[in-house]
PDB file of all heavy atoms in Angstrom:
ATOM      1  N   TRP B 235      70.627  98.633 103.955  1.00 97.00           N
ATOM      2  CA  TRP B 235      71.742  98.168 104.747  1.00 97.00           C
ATOM      3  C   TRP B 235      72.464  99.288 105.432  1.00 97.00           C
ATOM      4  O   TRP B 235      72.874  99.220 106.535  1.00 97.00           O
ATOM      5  CB  TRP B 235      72.701  97.308 103.735  1.00 97.00           C
ATOM      6  CG  TRP B 235      73.403  96.333 104.517  1.00 97.00           C
ATOM      7  CD1 TRP B 235      74.652  96.530 105.149  1.00 97.00           C
ATOM      8  CD2 TRP B 235      73.203  94.880 104.660  1.00 97.00           C
ATOM      9  NE1 TRP B 235      75.190  95.378 105.763  1.00 97.00           N
ATOM     10  CE2 TRP B 235      74.264  94.305 105.478  1.00 97.00           C
ATOM     11  CE3 TRP B 235      72.180  94.048 104.250  1.00 97.00           C
ATOM     12  CZ2 TRP B 235      74.306  93.016 105.701  1.00 97.00           C
ATOM     13  CZ3 TRP B 235      72.157  92.691 104.522  1.00 97.00           C
ATOM     14  CH2 TRP B 235      73.193  92.242 105.378  1.00 97.00           C
ATOM     15  N   LEU B 236      72.878 100.266 104.627  1.00 96.00           N
ATOM     16  CA  LEU B 236      73.643 101.377 105.292  1.00 96.00           C
ATOM     17  C   LEU B 236      72.792 102.147 106.249  1.00 96.00           C
ATOM     18  O   LEU B 236      73.323 102.541 107.247  1.00 96.00           O
ATOM     19  CB  LEU B 236      74.117 102.325 104.064  1.00 96.00           C
ATOM     20  CG  LEU B 236      75.263 101.778 103.255  1.00 96.00           C
ATOM     21  CD1 LEU B 236      75.716 102.872 102.194  1.00 96.00           C
ATOM     22  CD2 LEU B 236      76.435 101.539 104.173  1.00 96.00           C
ATOM     23  N   VAL B 237      71.459 102.302 106.020  1.00 96.00           N
ATOM     24  CA  VAL B 237      70.824 103.086 106.964  1.00 96.00           C
ATOM     25  C   VAL B 237      70.648 102.351 108.297  1.00 96.00           C
ATOM     26  O   VAL B 237      70.918 102.810 109.465  1.00 96.00           O
ATOM     27  CB  VAL B 237      69.292 103.320 106.330  1.00 96.00           C
ATOM     28  CG1 VAL B 237      68.479 103.885 107.618  1.00 96.00           C
ATOM     29  CG2 VAL B 237      69.409 104.314 105.253  1.00 96.00           C
ATOM     30  N   VAL B 238      70.369 101.053 108.154  1.00 96.00           N
ATOM     31  CA  VAL B 238      70.101 100.154 109.409  1.00 96.00           C
ATOM     32  C   VAL B 238      71.398  99.907 110.080  1.00 96.00           C
ATOM     33  O   VAL B 238      71.460  99.827 111.235  1.00 96.00           O
ATOM     34  CB  VAL B 238      69.448  98.847 108.970  1.00 96.00           C
ATOM     35  CG1 VAL B 238      69.379  97.914 110.281  1.00 96.00           C
ATOM     36  CG2 VAL B 238      68.096  99.099 108.455  1.00 96.00           C
ATOM     37  N   PHE B 239      72.597  99.716 109.436  1.00 97.00           N
ATOM     38  CA  PHE B 239      73.852  99.237 110.036  1.00 97.00           C
ATOM     39  C   PHE B 239      74.835 100.336 110.141  1.00 97.00           C
ATOM     40  O   PHE B 239      75.987 100.050 110.568  1.00 97.00           O
ATOM     41  CB  PHE B 239      74.353  97.927 109.453  1.00 97.00           C
ATOM     42  CG  PHE B 239      73.360  96.900 109.455  1.00 97.00           C
ATOM     43  CD1 PHE B 239      72.849  96.207 108.447  1.00 97.00           C
ATOM     44  CD2 PHE B 239      72.962  96.358 110.814  1.00 97.00           C
ATOM     45  CE1 PHE B 239      71.922  95.126 108.568  1.00 97.00           C
ATOM     46  CE2 PHE B 239      71.953  95.385 110.905  1.00 97.00           C
ATOM     47  CZ  PHE B 239      71.503  94.701 109.844  1.00 97.00           C
ATOM     48  N   PHE B 240      74.554 101.442 109.440  1.00 96.00           N
ATOM     49  CA  PHE B 240      75.573 102.548 109.570  1.00 96.00           C
ATOM     50  C   PHE B 240      75.029 103.800 110.237  1.00 96.00           C
ATOM     51  O   PHE B 240      75.508 104.387 111.178  1.00 96.00           O
ATOM     52  CB  PHE B 240      76.214 102.871 108.261  1.00 96.00           C
ATOM     53  CG  PHE B 240      77.110 104.084 108.275  1.00 96.00           C
ATOM     54  CD1 PHE B 240      78.417 104.032 108.718  1.00 96.00           C
ATOM     55  CD2 PHE B 240      76.642 105.311 107.840  1.00 96.00           C
ATOM     56  CE1 PHE B 240      79.155 105.035 108.799  1.00 96.00           C
ATOM     57  CE2 PHE B 240      77.431 106.412 107.826  1.00 96.00           C
ATOM     58  CZ  PHE B 240      78.715 106.215 108.494  1.00 96.00           C
ATOM     59  N   ALA B 241      73.838 104.215 109.665  1.00 95.00           N
ATOM     60  CA  ALA B 241      73.196 105.468 110.173  1.00 95.00           C
ATOM     61  C   ALA B 241      72.451 105.230 111.566  1.00 95.00           C
ATOM     62  O   ALA B 241      72.688 105.962 112.483  1.00 95.00           O
ATOM     63  CB  ALA B 241      72.171 106.047 109.164  1.00 95.00           C
ATOM     64  N   LEU B 242      71.743 104.238 111.586  1.00 96.00           N
ATOM     65  CA  LEU B 242      70.956 103.919 112.863  1.00 96.00           C
ATOM     66  C   LEU B 242      72.006 103.728 114.007  1.00 96.00           C
ATOM     67  O   LEU B 242      71.680 104.230 115.183  1.00 96.00           O
ATOM     68  CB  LEU B 242      70.075 102.713 112.769  1.00 96.00           C
ATOM     69  CG  LEU B 242      69.082 102.410 113.732  1.00 96.00           C
ATOM     70  CD1 LEU B 242      68.048 103.569 113.821  1.00 96.00           C
ATOM     71  CD2 LEU B 242      68.230 101.104 113.403  1.00 96.00           C
ATOM     72  N   PRO B 243      73.084 102.910 113.834  1.00 96.00           N
ATOM     73  CA  PRO B 243      74.040 102.765 114.908  1.00 96.00           C
ATOM     74  C   PRO B 243      74.426 104.111 115.504  1.00 96.00           C
ATOM     75  O   PRO B 243      74.684 104.239 116.742  1.00 96.00           O
ATOM     76  CB  PRO B 243      75.115 101.935 114.359  1.00 96.00           C
ATOM     77  CG  PRO B 243      74.478 101.146 113.263  1.00 96.00           C
ATOM     78  CD  PRO B 243      73.251 102.033 112.740  1.00 96.00           C
ATOM     79  N   MET B 244      74.585 105.207 114.513  1.00 94.00           N
ATOM     80  CA  MET B 244      75.128 106.448 115.066  1.00 94.00           C
ATOM     81  C   MET B 244      74.033 106.910 116.093  1.00 94.00           C
ATOM     82  O   MET B 244      74.449 107.650 117.094  1.00 94.00           O
ATOM     83  CB  MET B 244      75.252 107.449 113.966  1.00 94.00           C
ATOM     84  CG  MET B 244      76.421 106.982 112.951  1.00 94.00           C
ATOM     85  SD  MET B 244      77.993 106.966 113.793  1.00 94.00           S
ATOM     86  CE  MET B 244      78.803 106.086 112.519  1.00 94.00           C
ATOM     87  N   VAL B 245      72.768 106.763 115.686  1.00 94.00           N
ATOM     88  CA  VAL B 245      71.683 107.307 116.681  1.00 94.00           C
ATOM     89  C   VAL B 245      71.708 106.631 117.889  1.00 94.00           C
ATOM     90  O   VAL B 245      71.664 107.203 118.991  1.00 94.00           O
ATOM     91  CB  VAL B 245      70.302 107.078 115.882  1.00 94.00           C
ATOM     92  CG1 VAL B 245      69.161 107.531 116.901  1.00 94.00           C
ATOM     93  CG2 VAL B 245      70.234 107.820 114.583  1.00 94.00           C
ATOM     94  N   TYR B 246      71.882 105.255 117.865  1.00 94.00           N
ATOM     95  CA  TYR B 246      72.132 104.575 119.134  1.00 94.00           C
ATOM     96  C   TYR B 246      73.105 104.920 119.940  1.00 94.00           C
ATOM     97  O   TYR B 246      73.171 104.936 121.237  1.00 94.00           O
ATOM     98  CB  TYR B 246      72.122 103.017 118.814  1.00 94.00           C
ATOM     99  CG  TYR B 246      70.765 102.400 118.715  1.00 94.00           C
ATOM    100  CD1 TYR B 246      70.190 102.116 117.540  1.00 94.00           C
ATOM    101  CD2 TYR B 246      70.138 101.982 119.876  1.00 94.00           C
ATOM    102  CE1 TYR B 246      68.891 101.492 117.426  1.00 94.00           C
ATOM    103  CE2 TYR B 246      68.848 101.369 119.789  1.00 94.00           C
ATOM    104  CZ  TYR B 246      68.292 101.105 118.613  1.00 94.00           C
ATOM    105  OH  TYR B 246      67.071 100.610 118.590  1.00 94.00           O
ATOM    106  N   GLN B 247      74.332 105.240 119.244  1.00 93.00           N
ATOM    107  CA  GLN B 247      75.484 105.743 119.925  1.00 93.00           C
ATOM    108  C   GLN B 247      75.134 107.052 120.698  1.00 93.00           C
ATOM    109  O   GLN B 247      75.607 107.247 121.731  1.00 93.00           O
ATOM    110  CB  GLN B 247      76.646 105.827 118.900  1.00 93.00           C
ATOM    111  CG  GLN B 247      77.908 106.186 119.754  1.00 93.00           C
ATOM    112  CD  GLN B 247      79.105 105.887 118.890  1.00 93.00           C
ATOM    113  OE1 GLN B 247      79.161 106.175 117.715  1.00 93.00           O
ATOM    114  NE2 GLN B 247      80.052 105.245 119.449  1.00 93.00           N
ATOM    115  N   ALA B 248      74.555 107.955 119.969  1.00 92.00           N
ATOM    116  CA  ALA B 248      74.225 109.235 120.571  1.00 92.00           C
ATOM    117  C   ALA B 248      73.325 108.974 121.785  1.00 92.00           C
ATOM    118  O   ALA B 248      73.543 109.656 122.849  1.00 92.00           O
ATOM    119  CB  ALA B 248      73.490 110.071 119.558  1.00 92.00           C
ATOM    120  N   SER B 249      72.454 108.041 121.556  1.00 91.00           N
ATOM    121  CA  SER B 249      71.598 107.944 122.850  1.00 91.00           C
ATOM    122  C   SER B 249      72.383 107.223 123.991  1.00 91.00           C
ATOM    123  O   SER B 249      72.123 107.512 125.172  1.00 91.00           O
ATOM    124  CB  SER B 249      70.366 107.072 122.399  1.00 91.00           C
ATOM    125  OG  SER B 249      70.367 105.832 122.991  1.00 91.00           O
ATOM    126  N   THR B 250      73.149 106.351 123.649  1.00 92.00           N
ATOM    127  CA  THR B 250      74.021 105.659 124.777  1.00 92.00           C
ATOM    128  C   THR B 250      74.932 106.716 125.426  1.00 92.00           C
ATOM    129  O   THR B 250      75.060 106.661 126.647  1.00 92.00           O
ATOM    130  CB  THR B 250      75.062 104.682 124.056  1.00 92.00           C
ATOM    131  OG1 THR B 250      74.128 103.732 123.354  1.00 92.00           O
ATOM    132  CG2 THR B 250      75.741 103.874 125.107  1.00 92.00           C
ATOM    133  N   SER B 251      75.283 107.830 124.648  1.00 92.00           N
ATOM    134  CA  SER B 251      76.368 108.651 125.364  1.00 92.00           C
ATOM    135  C   SER B 251      75.665 109.575 126.401  1.00 92.00           C
ATOM    136  O   SER B 251      76.297 110.176 127.169  1.00 92.00           O
ATOM    137  CB  SER B 251      77.031 109.530 124.209  1.00 92.00           C
ATOM    138  OG  SER B 251      76.003 110.359 123.680  1.00 92.00           O
ATOM    139  N   ILE B 252      74.270 109.603 126.304  1.00 91.00           N
ATOM    140  CA  ILE B 252      73.609 110.498 127.247  1.00 91.00           C
ATOM    141  C   ILE B 252      72.919 109.651 128.200  1.00 91.00           C
ATOM    142  O   ILE B 252      71.961 110.134 128.973  1.00 91.00           O
ATOM    143  CB  ILE B 252      72.711 111.514 126.561  1.00 91.00           C
ATOM    144  CG1 ILE B 252      71.838 110.876 125.638  1.00 91.00           C
ATOM    145  CG2 ILE B 252      73.465 112.702 126.035  1.00 91.00           C
ATOM    146  CD1 ILE B 252      70.773 111.642 125.118  1.00 91.00           C
ATOM    147  N   GLN B 253      73.290 108.421 128.472  1.00 89.00           N
ATOM    148  CA  GLN B 253      72.695 107.367 129.380  1.00 89.00           C
ATOM    149  C   GLN B 253      73.548 107.445 130.678  1.00 89.00           C
ATOM    150  O   GLN B 253      74.794 107.784 130.563  1.00 89.00           O
ATOM    151  CB  GLN B 253      72.586 106.097 128.891  1.00 89.00           C
ATOM    152  CG  GLN B 253      71.531 105.908 127.762  1.00 89.00           C
ATOM    153  CD  GLN B 253      71.546 104.491 127.217  1.00 89.00           C
ATOM    154  OE1 GLN B 253      72.580 103.729 127.428  1.00 89.00           O
ATOM    155  NE2 GLN B 253      70.488 104.131 126.460  1.00 89.00           N
ATOM    156  N   THR B 254      72.978 107.101 131.827  1.00 86.00           N
ATOM    157  CA  THR B 254      73.607 106.857 132.927  1.00 86.00           C
ATOM    158  C   THR B 254      73.109 105.388 133.545  1.00 86.00           C
ATOM    159  O   THR B 254      72.163 104.999 133.186  1.00 86.00           O
ATOM    160  CB  THR B 254      73.507 107.856 134.026  1.00 86.00           C
ATOM    161  OG1 THR B 254      72.179 108.224 134.211  1.00 86.00           O
ATOM    162  CG2 THR B 254      74.235 109.027 133.782  1.00 86.00           C
ATOM    163  N   GLY B 255      73.970 104.836 134.361  1.00 80.00           N
ATOM    164  CA  GLY B 255      73.518 103.654 134.959  1.00 80.00           C
ATOM    165  C   GLY B 255      74.763 102.721 135.075  1.00 80.00           C
ATOM    166  O   GLY B 255      75.966 103.154 134.912  1.00 80.00           O
ATOM    167  N   SER B 256      74.521 101.344 135.294  1.00 78.00           N
ATOM    168  CA  SER B 256      75.674 100.452 135.259  1.00 78.00           C
ATOM    169  C   SER B 256      75.228  99.256 134.478  1.00 78.00           C
ATOM    170  O   SER B 256      74.036  99.047 134.182  1.00 78.00           O
ATOM    171  CB  SER B 256      76.032 100.158 136.727  1.00 78.00           C
ATOM    172  OG  SER B 256      74.817  99.503 137.301  1.00 78.00           O
ATOM    173  N   LEU B 257      76.210  98.287 134.259  1.00 75.00           N
ATOM    174  CA  LEU B 257      75.857  97.167 133.519  1.00 75.00           C
ATOM    175  C   LEU B 257      74.896  96.309 134.303  1.00 75.00           C
ATOM    176  O   LEU B 257      74.116  95.620 133.643  1.00 75.00           O
ATOM    177  CB  LEU B 257      77.214  96.504 133.377  1.00 75.00           C
ATOM    178  CG  LEU B 257      77.229  95.445 132.215  1.00 75.00           C
ATOM    179  CD1 LEU B 257      77.051  96.078 130.906  1.00 75.00           C
ATOM    180  CD2 LEU B 257      78.541  94.695 132.167  1.00 75.00           C
ATOM    181  N   GLU B 258      74.965  96.237 135.514  1.00 74.00           N
ATOM    182  CA  GLU B 258      74.090  95.295 136.358  1.00 74.00           C
ATOM    183  C   GLU B 258      72.632  95.874 136.346  1.00 74.00           C
ATOM    184  O   GLU B 258      71.710  95.093 136.094  1.00 74.00           O
ATOM    185  CB  GLU B 258      74.551  95.170 137.911  1.00 74.00           C
ATOM    186  CG  GLU B 258      75.824  94.587 137.990  1.00 74.00           C
ATOM    187  CD  GLU B 258      76.969  95.363 137.809  1.00 74.00           C
ATOM    188  OE1 GLU B 258      77.040  96.529 138.187  1.00 74.00           O
ATOM    189  OE2 GLU B 258      78.022  94.932 137.108  1.00 74.00           O
ATOM    190  N   ASP B 259      72.497  97.171 136.643  1.00 74.00           N
ATOM    191  CA  ASP B 259      71.159  97.779 136.694  1.00 74.00           C
ATOM    192  C   ASP B 259      70.579  98.226 135.512  1.00 74.00           C
ATOM    193  O   ASP B 259      69.485  98.638 135.328  1.00 74.00           O
ATOM    194  CB  ASP B 259      71.128  98.982 137.821  1.00 74.00           C
ATOM    195  CG  ASP B 259      71.843  98.467 139.071  1.00 74.00           C
ATOM    196  OD1 ASP B 259      71.691  97.433 139.387  1.00 74.00           O
ATOM    197  OD2 ASP B 259      72.520  99.406 139.682  1.00 74.00           O
ATOM    198  N   GLY B 260      71.313  98.230 134.402  1.00 77.00           N
ATOM    199  CA  GLY B 260      70.985  98.708 133.105  1.00 77.00           C
ATOM    200  C   GLY B 260      71.160 100.208 132.995  1.00 77.00           C
ATOM    201  O   GLY B 260      71.367 100.901 133.929  1.00 77.00           O
ATOM    202  N   PHE B 261      71.269 100.666 131.668  1.00 82.00           N
ATOM    203  CA  PHE B 261      71.546 101.998 131.390  1.00 82.00           C
ATOM    204  C   PHE B 261      70.233 102.734 130.983  1.00 82.00           C
ATOM    205  O   PHE B 261      69.340 102.122 130.416  1.00 82.00           O
ATOM    206  CB  PHE B 261      72.491 102.116 130.164  1.00 82.00           C
ATOM    207  CG  PHE B 261      73.888 101.689 130.579  1.00 82.00           C
ATOM    208  CD1 PHE B 261      74.302 100.428 130.250  1.00 82.00           C
ATOM    209  CD2 PHE B 261      74.717 102.555 131.269  1.00 82.00           C
ATOM    210  CE1 PHE B 261      75.579 100.054 130.707  1.00 82.00           C
ATOM    211  CE2 PHE B 261      75.971 102.105 131.583  1.00 82.00           C
ATOM    212  CZ  PHE B 261      76.436 100.874 131.342  1.00 82.00           C
ATOM    213  N   LYS B 262      69.977 103.880 131.381  1.00 79.00           N
ATOM    214  CA  LYS B 262      68.757 104.692 131.014  1.00 79.00           C
ATOM    215  C   LYS B 262      69.211 106.091 130.570  1.00 79.00           C
ATOM    216  O   LYS B 262      70.189 106.669 130.979  1.00 79.00           O
ATOM    217  CB  LYS B 262      67.983 104.977 132.225  1.00 79.00           C
ATOM    218  CG  LYS B 262      66.967 103.708 132.415  1.00 79.00           C
ATOM    219  CD  LYS B 262      65.683 104.330 133.267  1.00 79.00           C
ATOM    220  CE  LYS B 262      64.827 103.110 133.545  1.00 79.00           C
ATOM    221  NZ  LYS B 262      65.055 102.361 134.752  1.00 79.00           N
ATOM    222  N   VAL B 263      68.439 106.505 129.501  1.00 82.00           N
ATOM    223  CA  VAL B 263      68.714 107.909 128.972  1.00 82.00           C
ATOM    224  C   VAL B 263      68.314 108.991 129.998  1.00 82.00           C
ATOM    225  O   VAL B 263      67.073 108.979 130.345  1.00 82.00           O
ATOM    226  CB  VAL B 263      67.865 108.220 127.699  1.00 82.00           C
ATOM    227  CG1 VAL B 263      68.055 109.578 127.240  1.00 82.00           C
ATOM    228  CG2 VAL B 263      68.296 107.182 126.651  1.00 82.00           C
ATOM    229  N   THR B 264      69.320 109.681 130.482  1.00 84.00           N
ATOM    230  CA  THR B 264      69.047 110.693 131.512  1.00 84.00           C
ATOM    231  C   THR B 264      69.477 112.113 131.068  1.00 84.00           C
ATOM    232  O   THR B 264      69.547 112.990 131.855  1.00 84.00           O
ATOM    233  CB  THR B 264      69.725 110.420 132.815  1.00 84.00           C
ATOM    234  OG1 THR B 264      71.175 110.135 132.556  1.00 84.00           O
ATOM    235  CG2 THR B 264      69.186 109.120 133.476  1.00 84.00           C
ATOM    236  N   TRP B 265      69.790 112.121 129.839  1.00 84.00           N
ATOM    237  CA  TRP B 265      70.298 113.430 129.152  1.00 84.00           C
ATOM    238  C   TRP B 265      71.450 114.097 129.987  1.00 84.00           C
ATOM    239  O   TRP B 265      71.485 115.224 130.275  1.00 84.00           O
ATOM    240  CB  TRP B 265      69.197 114.453 129.151  1.00 84.00           C
ATOM    241  CG  TRP B 265      68.037 113.941 128.237  1.00 84.00           C
ATOM    242  CD1 TRP B 265      66.894 113.351 128.790  1.00 84.00           C
ATOM    243  CD2 TRP B 265      67.861 113.991 126.763  1.00 84.00           C
ATOM    244  NE1 TRP B 265      66.079 113.010 127.678  1.00 84.00           N
ATOM    245  CE2 TRP B 265      66.668 113.397 126.515  1.00 84.00           C
ATOM    246  CE3 TRP B 265      68.691 114.565 125.921  1.00 84.00           C
ATOM    247  CZ2 TRP B 265      66.348 113.208 125.216  1.00 84.00           C
ATOM    248  CZ3 TRP B 265      68.341 114.385 124.426  1.00 84.00           C
ATOM    249  CH2 TRP B 265      67.082 113.738 124.250  1.00 84.00           C
ATOM    250  N   HIS B 266      72.324 113.074 130.400  1.00 84.00           N
ATOM    251  CA  HIS B 266      73.438 113.471 131.242  1.00 84.00           C
ATOM    252  C   HIS B 266      74.639 113.894 130.353  1.00 84.00           C
ATOM    253  O   HIS B 266      75.602 113.122 130.006  1.00 84.00           O
ATOM    254  CB  HIS B 266      73.922 112.317 132.065  1.00 84.00           C
ATOM    255  CG  HIS B 266      74.850 112.518 133.131  1.00 84.00           C
ATOM    256  ND1 HIS B 266      76.236 112.307 133.012  1.00 84.00           N
ATOM    257  CD2 HIS B 266      74.784 113.183 134.322  1.00 84.00           C
ATOM    258  CE1 HIS B 266      76.891 112.706 134.049  1.00 84.00           C
ATOM    259  NE2 HIS B 266      75.902 113.228 134.887  1.00 84.00           N
ATOM    260  N   PHE B 267      74.437 115.186 129.850  1.00 89.00           N
ATOM    261  CA  PHE B 267      75.495 115.746 128.957  1.00 89.00           C
ATOM    262  C   PHE B 267      76.963 115.847 129.614  1.00 89.00           C
ATOM    263  O   PHE B 267      77.915 116.041 128.867  1.00 89.00           O
ATOM    264  CB  PHE B 267      75.137 116.987 128.248  1.00 89.00           C
ATOM    265  CG  PHE B 267      74.151 116.772 127.243  1.00 89.00           C
ATOM    266  CD1 PHE B 267      72.878 117.056 127.378  1.00 89.00           C
ATOM    267  CD2 PHE B 267      74.553 116.233 125.984  1.00 89.00           C
ATOM    268  CE1 PHE B 267      71.883 116.877 126.444  1.00 89.00           C
ATOM    269  CE2 PHE B 267      73.609 116.093 124.992  1.00 89.00           C
ATOM    270  CZ  PHE B 267      72.274 116.395 125.243  1.00 89.00           C
ATOM    271  N   ALA B 268      76.987 115.835 130.954  1.00 89.00           N
ATOM    272  CA  ALA B 268      78.225 115.984 131.640  1.00 89.00           C
ATOM    273  C   ALA B 268      79.267 114.942 131.263  1.00 89.00           C
ATOM    274  O   ALA B 268      80.445 115.132 131.270  1.00 89.00           O
ATOM    275  CB  ALA B 268      78.051 116.006 133.124  1.00 89.00           C
TER     276      ALA B 268
END
Side-chain angles (χ1 to χ4, degrees):
Chain B
W235 202 279
L236 281 182
V237 168
V238 175
F239 299 118
F240 175 76
L242 191 63
M244 296 295 164
V245 178
Y246 270 99
Q247 186 163 45
S249 108
T250 303
S251 69
I252 48 171
Q253 290 174 345
T254 45
S256 66
L257 203 61
E258 293 80 42
D259 308 329
F261 292 97
K262 271 209 183 83
V263 176
T264 53
W265 301 96
H266 190 259
F267 282 107

